[in-house]
Amino acid sequence: MARTVWDSSVGKKTVMAVSGMIMLLYLVVHVIGNLKIFFGAEEFNHYAHWLRTMGEPFMHYEWALWLVRVVLVVAVVAHAVSAYQLSRRDIRARPGKYVHKKARASYATRTMRWGGIILALFIVWHILDLTTGTVHSGGFQEGHPYQNVVDTFSTWYGNVIYIVAMLAVGLHVRHGFWSAAQTLGVGSRTRDRALRTVADVLALLLTAGFLAVPVGVMTGVVS
């Protein structure tokens, strides 16, 4: 049954919708945590330490954090594989281009695929920058995330990469939230306007929240 569902287009769209919602929940929690940087180094570093100790003493050090990471990796892989296979299936179904393009297609819709690639590359860079410190500028300090964030956004390329990626996040969320609602059967003729409004507001708040951090560093509010 699982294989039958996965092989169908509806099944793949459902996997995309559910995995997308998991990642969206993570983004909401993540942006709230990021904004704690405006309350100073001590509070932000304490929050980062808490992420590694949450679940104690029932769970061992970092077990809960690794559980979250595993769920996110599964969600990202499932989302990407479903999107790729649906895209290939769509191309095979219509090998020739449409005579007339859909004029009503939004910018976010037309750039979902490229946005997904941008975000995939950003995730790799973000981990290497602020988790492992492999590509971090200015000397990575283990256990000092506040200083590491300031270092990253003190470079022009760190800001450019992050800002471009967060704009892609906003576009992706805007289209993806509404699309997931349709796939999961939440949407209807009477709810579509409300769902689109929620998608717009959510995308705007997430984008503004994430961009507030590099802007804070560039303006000296966070230093």
Side-chain angles (χ1 to χ4, degrees):
M1 182 181 292
R3 184 56 186 268
T4 300
V5 172
W6 171 251
D7 286 341
S8 68
S9 294
V10 173
K12 294 183 188 299
K13 289 180 180 179
T14 301
V15 170
M16 278 195 70
V18 174
S19 59
M21 287 301 180
I22 291 173
M23 291 185 288
L24 178 58
L25 177 61
Y26 168 76
L27 288 175
V28 172
V29 174
H30 191 41
V31 74
I32 293 173
N34 280 5
L35 292 176
K36 293 178 74 68
I37 200 169
F38 289 99
F39 295 95
E42 183 177 355
E43 183 157 347
F44 190 70
N45 289 341
H46 177 70
Y47 161 69
H49 177 71
W50 172 82
L51 289 175
R52 288 159 174 75
T53 60
M54 63 178 175
E56 291 185 350
F58 176 71
M59 303 186 76
H60 191 60
Y61 181 76
E62 283 196 345
W63 278 14
L65 180 59
W66 274 106
L67 180 61
V68 172
R69 287 169 174 169
V70 169
V71 171
L72 281 173
V73 168
V74 172
V76 169
V77 171
H79 197 79
V81 171
S82 299
Y84 174 77
Q85 293 184 355
L86 283 169
S87 177
R88 298 303 301 173
R89 184 171 294 183
D90 185 47
I91 292 174
R92 286 196 300 268
R94 50 175 181 82
K97 293 183 178 180
Y98 290 122
V99 176
H100 301 289
K101 294 182 179 180
K102 294 182 180 179
R104 296 180 62 185
S106 67
Y107 182 78
T109 303
R110 296 195 303 270
T111 57
M112 281 294 282
R113 292 171 187 171
W114 282 109
I117 294 173
I118 290 172
L119 292 178
L121 294 174
F122 169 74
I123 290 171
V124 174
W125 179 84
H126 197 50
I127 292 173
L128 293 176
D129 179 33
L130 292 175
T131 301
T132 67
T134 307
V135 298
H136 185 74
S137 61
F140 183 77
Q141 299 183 48
E142 185 70 36
H144 295 82
Y146 182 94
Q147 187 58 49
N148 293 332
V149 169
V150 171
D151 288 343
T152 290
F153 296 129
S154 295
T155 62
W156 68 267
Y157 59 86
N159 286 314
V160 170
I161 293 172
Y162 193 84
I163 290 172
V164 170
M166 292 308 102
L167 292 176
V169 165
L171 291 173
H172 218 75
V173 168
R174 181 177 178 271
H175 175 75
F177 179 85
W178 184 84
S179 181
Q182 306 306 307
T183 299
L184 297 175
V186 178
S188 67
R189 184 174 298 179
T190 57
R191 298 174 186 165
D192 277 356
R193 178 175 294 182
L195 287 172
R196 288 186 183 278
T197 300
V198 172
D200 289 343
V201 172
L202 189 58
L204 180 62
L205 290 178
L206 283 174
T207 304
F210 280 119
L211 292 183
V213 179
V215 170
V217 174
M218 286 188 286
T219 57
V221 176
V222 177
S223 63

